[in-house]
Amino acid sequence: MLPAEVRVDDLMTAAADLFIAKGIEATTVNDIVELAGVGKGTFYHYFATKEDVILALRERFSRDFTKKVADALAQCPGDDHRARFATWLRGTVEAYIANYELHDVVFHEFRHSNRNSKEKEIVIAQLSALLGEGAKADAWSLPDVRAAAIAIYDGMHGVVDDAIATGNGDAGAICDRLSLLFGRILVA
Amino acid sequence: MLPAEVRVDDLMTAAADLFIAKGIEATTVNDIVELAGVGKGTFYHYFATKEDVILALRERFSRDFTKKVADALAQCPGDDHRARFATWLRGTVEAYIANYELHDVVFHEFRHSNRNSKEKEIVIAQLSALLGEGAKADAWSLPDVRAAAIAIYDGMHGVVDDAIATGNGDAGAICDRLSLLFGRILVA
């Protein structure tokens, strides 16, 4: 018998693959347990509904996303703030492009009216911390760190979305474009 | 008998008011025709479903939004590009804050996966034109006008969303913050 975390993770991964392949509506709990190779009872031990799986996937997505960026930042000297921002940008753009199909599934119910989602707050907090540290060390000045973090994060999101939509989803080229743009914001 | 455009407009306005007040789900076609003061046949003459009304409201919202900004820009000297950008910013932020409840209703089904929506393209085209003209006149330089337009538009959207969520929805204060930020992007 596999440990509980592994089975939950397998169920979530199976569900994500099916949601991407055939859509949330068309995916049944039967499909999920079959692909995950577990019994239906196991599914209902962890999740009440398909919606619960999506919420769990959303949390996992955000956690994986910020952890990937945090790991990359850990390799970066703490006092090289421009390198840290470049690392954030590269890590974020790459993670988004690599996982946008999953992103679209887990955030399929994203609503503008949900203006303070927990998941968004996590990524904004991470970027705000980075921008705030750079400002404190005079690597740049920012009259409003939070506004800058939100504008940069959402700006990045929109430009990457446009690149995906127009079939220009090359992370390197996107990062070059965004570096020029955001580098102008991060001035003394 | 009122002219057709007036009746359609009245139906749409009645529907919008009801959607905002009690939600889309809870609003019936009966509610809409009652508030608009027309017969049910009139509704079905113009719309097959509630969803059709939302699509029509979405188009009207985007049209009103860009028209408001275009009217303000028409008052601005064509060669004062910084004033034109400030006018765009002020008009956009004010229109969004004034109408965000309607915005949330008509874009309630906004999906990230819908990466090239017609409505977004309209506002991006308007801002791209403004930024492109300024670049051509050397008011600023932009290596990628479209990327700048998207980053500025989505950055504005995110900062205003955050201000609404945190109860700081004063258009003047938001514009001051965004002017400082975007002014850094618009350099020679």
Side-chain angles (χ1 to χ4, degrees):
Chain A
M1 193 98 165
L2 292 165
E5 317 80 80
V6 176
R7 277 177 295 155
V8 175
D9 227 56
D10 285 352
L11 274 167
M12 285 166 63
T13 301
D17 289 347
L18 288 162
F19 292 159
I20 291 170
K22 57 190 225 172
I24 292 169
E25 284 302 313
T27 300
T28 65
V29 172
N30 276 333
D31 295 336
I32 297 170
V33 297
E34 196 176 303
L35 185 61
V38 300
K40 213 163 171 176
T42 305
F43 180 94
Y44 287 112
H45 183 67
Y46 297 110
F47 305 105
T49 61
K50 255 196 308 184
E51 275 304 311
D52 278 356
V53 184
I54 295 171
L55 293 180
L57 281 169
R58 188 178 296 187
E59 275 199 43
R60 190 172 80 174
F61 186 92
S62 298
R63 209 170 47 233
D64 288 354
F65 192 87
T66 43
K67 192 181 176 310
K68 205 167 288 175
V69 174
D71 288 349
L73 284 174
Q75 308 295 315
C76 238
D79 58 352
D80 190 346
H81 298 281
R82 291 197 180 275
R84 291 177 71 79
F85 180 74
T87 300
W88 173 85
L89 184 60
R90 183 84 195 201
T92 301
V93 169
E94 281 180 354
Y96 184 28
I97 290 177
N99 298 298
Y100 77 89
E101 285 180 311
L102 178 59
H103 168 278
D104 290 354
V105 161
V106 301
F107 294 105
H108 78 295
E109 288 221 326
F110 171 85
R111 301 264 164 101
H112 274 298
S113 53
N114 182 15
R115 287 195 166 74
N116 40 9
S117 82
K118 194 177 61 177
E119 290 79 19
K120 182 156 180 191
E121 201 49 48
I122 293 171
V123 294
I124 295 300
Q126 186 178 46
L127 179 56
S128 290
L130 192 160
L131 294 181
E133 282 158 22
K136 214 169 145 190
D138 291 322
W140 48 70
S141 77
L142 286 172
D144 187 328
V145 168
R146 183 174 171 83
I150 293 171
I152 288 174
Y153 181 79
D154 284 350
M156 174 283 301
H157 211 302
V159 171
V160 176
D161 278 337
D162 188 57
I164 293 171
T166 54
N168 299 309
D170 176 64
I174 297 170
C175 284
D176 289 347
R177 255 178 292 163
L178 289 177
S179 288
L180 283 172
L181 209 56
F182 296 149
R184 290 187 177 182
I185 291 180
L186 301 178
V187 290
Chain B
M1 195 97 166
L2 294 165
E5 319 79 84
V6 176
R7 277 178 296 156
V8 175
D9 227 56
D10 286 351
L11 274 168
M12 286 167 63
T13 303
D17 289 347
L18 289 162
F19 292 159
I20 291 171
K22 55 189 225 173
I24 292 169
E25 283 302 314
T27 300
T28 65
V29 172
N30 276 334
D31 295 335
I32 297 170
V33 298
E34 197 175 303
L35 185 61
V38 301
K40 215 163 170 175
T42 306
F43 179 94
Y44 287 112
H45 183 67
Y46 298 109
F47 305 105
T49 61
K50 257 196 307 184
E51 275 304 311
D52 278 356
V53 185
I54 295 172
L55 293 180
L57 281 169
R58 189 178 295 187
E59 277 200 42
R60 189 172 79 174
F61 186 92
S62 299
R63 207 171 48 234
D64 288 355
F65 193 87
T66 43
K67 191 180 178 313
K68 205 166 288 176
V69 174
D71 288 348
L73 284 174
Q75 307 296 312
C76 239
D79 59 351
D80 190 346
H81 298 281
R82 294 201 175 272
R84 292 177 72 77
F85 180 74
T87 299
W88 173 85
L89 184 60
R90 184 84 197 202
T92 301
V93 170
E94 281 180 354
Y96 184 28
I97 289 178
N99 299 299
Y100 78 89
E101 286 179 309
L102 179 59
H103 168 279
D104 290 354
V105 162
V106 300
F107 294 105
H108 79 297
E109 287 221 329
F110 170 85
R111 301 263 164 100
H112 274 299
S113 53
N114 182 15
R115 287 196 166 74
N116 38 7
S117 82
K118 193 176 62 177
E119 291 79 18
K120 184 157 178 190
E121 202 49 48
I122 293 170
V123 294
I124 295 299
Q126 187 178 44
L127 179 56
S128 290
L130 192 159
L131 294 180
E133 282 157 22
K136 213 169 148 191
D138 290 323
W140 48 68
S141 76
L142 287 172
D144 187 329
V145 167
R146 183 173 172 83
I150 292 171
I152 289 173
Y153 181 79
D154 284 350
M156 174 284 300
H157 212 302
V159 170
V160 176
D161 277 338
D162 188 57
I164 294 171
T166 54
N168 299 309
D170 175 65
I174 297 170
C175 285
D176 289 346
R177 256 178 292 163
L178 289 177
S179 289
L180 282 171
L181 210 56
F182 297 148
R184 290 186 178 183
I185 291 179
L186 301 179
V187 290

